[in-house]
Amino acid sequence: MLPQKLHQKLEERKANNALRQLDSSNGLVDFSSNDYLGFAKSESIFNATHNLLIGHNMKQNGSTGSRLLSGNHSFYNIVESLVADFHNSESALIFNSGYDANLGFFSSVPQRDDVIFYDEFIHASIRDGVLLSNAKAYKFKHNNVKALDEMLERVQYKGNAYIVTESVFSMDGDAPDLVAMCQLSKKHKAFLVVDEAHAIGVFGTYGVGLIQQLNLEEYVFARLVTFGKAMGCHGAAILGRAVLKQYLVNFARSFIYTTALPPHTLATVHSAYNALVSTKNIEKLHQNIQHFKKEIVENKLQNHFIESNSAIHCCIISGNEKVKSMAKKLQENGFNVKPILSPTVAKGEERLRFCLHSDNSENEISKVLRLLTTFVNI
């Protein structure tokens, strides 16, 4: 038996057709995972990881403890150096996940009397970190630089200001004007923080991300990069100055009080980064993105989709019941497309979320969108 209040919350989810459940999608064409480059299934990365571990004589299953105790094995320094160099950053600090990284950063860096200005569509991990912070927080209209500028002029504060955005937003797949964001942070002497989770492996030379593609590294106080999306493995890193890394090691609780990642995980990250330099999958992914956008127009679906140049494309279908029904029909026809329900997104903004991959065929893309037209009122 659950406590009555918890039981009631579950019943409310059921009544709103918003109850989350774990399921399996074996055998369906993948239009839902974050494995944009197919690295999670890469046999060459799997073999490279094995050879790397053997070459370093690392026959260890677990890390044995937190990094500040016994878990700081040799692969940490190797991979953090690799990640920092790859992303043109002075340092990198690896966390167990993107959620842990954002939670640790935002709960420890902004201080009392500081203020945080965050995009209204920012990821839940950042929101949770902000809630644990002693700083005041204000949300600004999505990707609206003018509204942010006015807010920075209007809000009074004694300490420092932090501006927080994503380079590619996880629900809409769109991107802010990062150049304008950097100019604004400089104008107001604010610290800019950018979550690059869905840009890594997708944008820039070798998939370095949008910040590097635009040569904006010097304007950004901290960047988050994750390894569980296009990199096809696990973990995340905060990029920034060496002194920021030192601070996080001392004050980020999600870093201090957790068991370190095992050697195999770090070796996989190392192999995935090496694969980025030689893969043709990034080019193939962008070809698929362009084909998907062309097919949206040819099928007269453009009024239903949010504009995106990323691997994420969303078709707005209002109502949990309706969007779940459409997703089920697509799945019954062999396509794994997931519905995004409220309260994950605002009520009325429910959507089908299409994630594109380098190994999707043009025929699969064309077929799933033609099928979608039979379910959507045009």
Side-chain angles (χ1 to χ4, degrees):
M1 288 288 291
L2 278 175
Q4 181 59 33
K5 287 183 179 179
L6 305 188
H7 181 75
Q8 183 178 342
K9 291 180 76 171
L10 275 178
E11 291 303 311
E12 287 172 359
R13 279 283 168 92
K14 291 176 184 176
N16 292 325
N17 210 6
L19 187 69
R20 297 183 176 100
Q21 297 185 79
L22 299 173
D23 64 4
S24 176
S25 56
N26 291 336
L28 301 181
V29 177
D30 184 8
F31 281 109
S32 69
S33 81
N34 295 319
D35 187 25
Y36 307 132
L37 302 178
F39 278 15
K41 304 180 290 288
S42 169
E43 188 175 344
S44 62
I45 290 175
F46 182 89
N47 291 333
T49 299
H50 175 75
N51 292 334
L52 186 62
L53 289 164
I54 297 301
H56 283 261
N57 196 30
M58 181 64 79
K59 299 175 181 178
Q60 184 176 318
N61 295 318
S63 61
T64 77
S66 71
R67 289 186 66 183
L68 288 168
L69 293 178
S70 58
N72 196 42
H73 51 77
S74 60
F75 273 117
Y76 267 110
N77 288 336
I78 294 170
V79 177
E80 284 179 340
S81 294
L82 172 68
V83 171
D85 289 345
F86 188 89
H87 291 293
N88 194 26
S89 175
E90 187 174 302
S91 74
L93 181 65
I94 290 176
F95 285 75
N96 284 20
S97 68
Y99 189 95
D100 282 345
N102 277 330
L103 202 70
F105 180 92
F106 288 100
S107 65
S108 67
V109 173
Q111 301 293 298
R112 197 176 304 278
D113 294 329
D114 291 346
V115 290
I116 304 167
F117 300 93
Y118 64 92
D119 190 289
E120 63 179 332
F121 289 175
I122 209 73
H123 194 265
S125 59
I126 296 175
R127 285 177 174 266
D128 288 354
V130 168
L131 285 173
L132 292 172
S133 168
N134 288 318
K136 289 185 177 180
Y138 302 85
K139 63 182 178 183
F140 59 89
K141 291 181 180 178
H142 180 52
N143 286 344
N144 193 321
V145 177
K146 185 174 183 292
L148 174 59
D149 190 18
E150 292 172 352
M151 189 176 287
L152 283 158
E153 294 282 1
R154 185 176 67 252
V155 174
Q156 301 295 312
Y157 53 92
K158 296 178 182 179
N160 296 307
Y162 294 86
I163 299 171
V164 190
T165 190
E166 298 179 33
S167 58
V168 173
F169 280 84
S170 61
M171 285 296 105
D172 290 355
D174 59 345
D177 185 340
L178 290 168
V179 173
M181 285 280 192
C182 288
Q183 292 170 344
L184 202 61
S185 67
K186 185 176 181 181
K187 172 185 174 183
H188 292 281
K189 298 180 180 178
F191 294 95
L192 180 61
V193 183
V194 182
D195 187 326
E196 289 239 77
H198 291 277
I200 301 305
V202 179
F203 291 102
T205 304
Y206 305 132
V208 292
L210 269 173
I211 293 299
Q212 281 170 270
Q213 178 177 304
L214 298 170
N215 297 313
L216 299 175
E217 301 97 299
E218 65 178 290
Y219 301 102
V220 180
F221 174 64
R223 282 176 281 164
L224 171 84
V225 296
T226 61
F227 313 138
K229 311 275 188 304
M231 302 298 293
C233 35
H234 192 72
I238 295 289
L239 309 176
R241 297 287 186 180
V243 68
L244 174 61
K245 177 176 179 176
Q246 185 180 51
Y247 179 86
L248 291 170
V249 167
N250 280 274
F251 294 100
R253 293 168 70 86
S254 63
F255 173 87
I256 298 167
Y257 298 110
T258 192
T259 301
L261 292 169
H264 187 276
T265 298
L266 274 294
T268 306
V269 173
H270 188 285
S271 299
Y273 268 97
N274 285 339
L276 279 180
V277 179
S278 59
T279 187
K280 301 295 183 185
N281 291 8
I282 299 174
E283 181 183 352
K284 182 62 171 64
L285 172 62
H286 281 277
Q287 290 172 358
N288 282 344
I289 291 169
Q290 293 309 311
H291 181 69
F292 190 92
K293 294 178 70 173
K294 178 174 70 71
E295 288 292 296
I296 287 174
V297 175
E298 291 189 1
N299 286 281
K300 299 179 181 179
L301 289 165
Q302 59 267 42
N303 291 335
H304 296 274
F305 275 87
I306 297 169
E307 178 66 24
S308 169
N309 293 313
S310 74
I312 302 167
H313 295 260
C314 289
C315 180
I316 302 298
I317 308 290
S318 296
N320 281 347
E321 185 174 351
K322 189 174 182 180
V323 74
K324 284 177 75 174
S325 174
M326 287 192 181
K328 184 179 180 182
K329 290 175 182 177
L330 291 174
Q331 290 161 13
E332 287 172 349
N333 281 272
F335 299 102
N336 190 19
V337 180
K338 291 294 175 64
I340 306 298
L341 312 175
S342 57
T344 299
V345 292
K347 198 172 183 61
E349 294 293 318
E350 297 85 1
R351 75 275 309 269
L352 294 171
R353 183 173 182 259
F354 292 82
C355 292
L356 304 181
H357 311 89
S358 58
D359 56 2
N360 288 134
S361 70
E362 290 191 353
N363 181 58
E364 290 168 347
I365 291 169
S366 299
K367 188 175 178 181
V368 74
L369 288 176
R370 283 198 302 270
L371 190 60
L372 181 62
T373 62
T374 65
F375 306 142
V376 177
N377 287 326
I378 299 176

